[in-house]
Amino acid sequence: MEKHLLLKELQSRHEFPEEEFPRLLELFEVRSIQKNEIIFHTGDIVKYCYFILKGCMQQYYISPEGIEKIIYFAQEGTWTGEMDSMINETPSIVSTQAVEDSEVLIMNKANWENAIRNIPDFALYQIKKRGHTIARMKQQLAQTTTTTPDQKYRQLLNETPDLLQRLPLYKIASYIGVTPETLSRIRKRNTRL
């Protein structure tokens, strides 16, 4: 039998014991989310963390000019949500929306705290994951001032090429911070390389 996608993720960052997995899995609910459904808005207190089993989601904010700025895509085998908002009950600084019909595992704050207290390997996973997330965010922040749109496109092409097939081009353009017309020119330049 193939390992559960969540167990694979847990074991990718920490030696999470398989025998603990059923106990952890009981703390989640499965939920289906329809394409374009917003699971929380900027300003909401986020009630759940989300692990994506199938589908794709985006995190974004709306600029003062009213333009959607996508900052993150989450697909199968990854987490999305706003942990700070959920744990500290503070307003979210982003919105999260399904880009495709999605199936997710959700865990509320009480169950998350239960897992942290009673499943030490989950707590260790969370610490390691948090460190990885902070490092990735610092890298992305540094890249916003040092990376050209062409470089951002090539990075997306190298790291997650399937997203380019799955997502509308205007979403890719928003993510790399250009207009759809500029993205067309970038794509043309990069097909000649």
Side-chain angles (χ1 to χ4, degrees), residues 17 23 47 82 128 179 181:
R23 207 171 105 192
K47 303 293 184 195
E82 278 299 291
K128 291 176 181 180
T179 64
E181 296 77 21

Side-chain angles (χ1 to χ4, degrees), residues 4-7 10 16 20-30 51 53 105-107 111 115 119 122:
H4 193 283
L5 199 54
L6 176 58
L7 180 58
L10 295 169
F16 192 91
E20 288 288 336
F21 186 65
R23 207 171 105 192
L24 177 66
L25 199 54
E26 289 175 358
L27 300 173
F28 286 91
E29 294 175 42
V30 177
F51 183 79
L53 297 171
L105 292 173
I106 64 169
M107 181 187 277
N111 284 352
I119 306 174
F122 183 69

Side-chain angles (χ1 to χ4, degrees), residues 1 13 17 27 32 42 91 99 103 106 110-111 124 126 135 160 162:
M1 185 171 104
R13 306 230 182 264
L27 300 173
S32 293
T42 301
V99 180
E103 186 173 305
I106 64 169
N111 284 352
L124 288 169
Q126 287 291 326
T160 51
D162 59 311

Side-chain angles (χ1 to χ4, degrees), residues 54-72:
K54 177 181 167 275
C56 184
M57 299 202 181
Q58 68 179 19
Q59 287 195 324
Y60 66 96
Y61 67 93
I62 304 298
S63 74
E65 299 79 34
I67 299 167
E68 179 182 276
K69 301 284 188 174
I70 299 171
I71 59 170
Y72 177 65

Side-chain angles (χ1 to χ4, degrees), residues 29-188:
E29 294 175 42
V30 177
R31 183 166 294 168
S32 293
I33 299 173
Q34 301 300 308
K35 180 179 179 178
N36 297 323
E37 184 179 338
I38 297 174
I39 58 174
F40 59 84
H41 291 88
T42 301
D44 289 349
I45 306 296
V46 177
K47 303 293 184 195
Y48 302 96
C49 58
Y50 302 81
F51 183 79
I52 302 173
L53 297 171
K54 177 181 167 275
C56 184
M57 299 202 181
Q58 68 179 19
Q59 287 195 324
Y60 66 96
Y61 67 93
I62 304 298
S63 74
E65 299 79 34
I67 299 167
E68 179 182 276
K69 301 284 188 174
I70 299 171
I71 59 170
Y72 177 65
F73 290 111
Q75 56 186 333
E76 292 88 357
T78 61
W79 296 88
T80 194
E82 278 299 291
M83 291 301 289
D84 185 57
S85 176
M86 184 182 84
I87 293 167
N88 298 309
E89 298 180 5
T90 56
S92 173
I93 60 171
V94 296
S95 297
T96 298
Q97 178 180 31
V99 180
E100 300 173 341
D101 287 342
S102 301
E103 186 173 305
V104 297
L105 292 173
I106 64 169
M107 181 187 277
N108 64 28
K109 179 182 177 182
N111 284 352
W112 187 84
E113 289 176 347
N114 177 0
I116 293 293
R117 276 193 299 276
N118 298 307
I119 306 174
D121 285 295
F122 183 69
L124 288 169
Y125 164 82
Q126 287 291 326
I127 291 167
K128 291 176 181 180
K129 175 70 174 148
R130 195 76 153 172
H132 173 77
T133 300
I134 290 168
R136 191 193 71 209
M137 288 172 50
K138 286 179 181 179
Q139 180 184 22
Q140 282 181 314
L141 185 58
Q143 288 176 344
T144 59
T145 58
T146 61
T147 307
T148 67
D150 282 87
Q151 291 168 322
K152 289 178 188 176
Y153 178 79
R154 283 194 298 275
Q155 182 178 4
L156 190 61
L157 189 60
N158 291 331
E159 293 176 4
T160 51
D162 59 311
L163 281 179
L164 296 173
Q165 305 302 314
R166 296 170 77 171
L167 299 173
L169 291 179
Y170 73 93
K171 291 198 176 291
I172 301 294
S174 172
Y175 179 69
I176 65 173
V178 297
T179 64
E181 296 77 21
T182 300
L183 177 59
S184 287
R185 289 190 293 276
I186 290 169
R187 290 177 71 216
K188 283 180 187 171

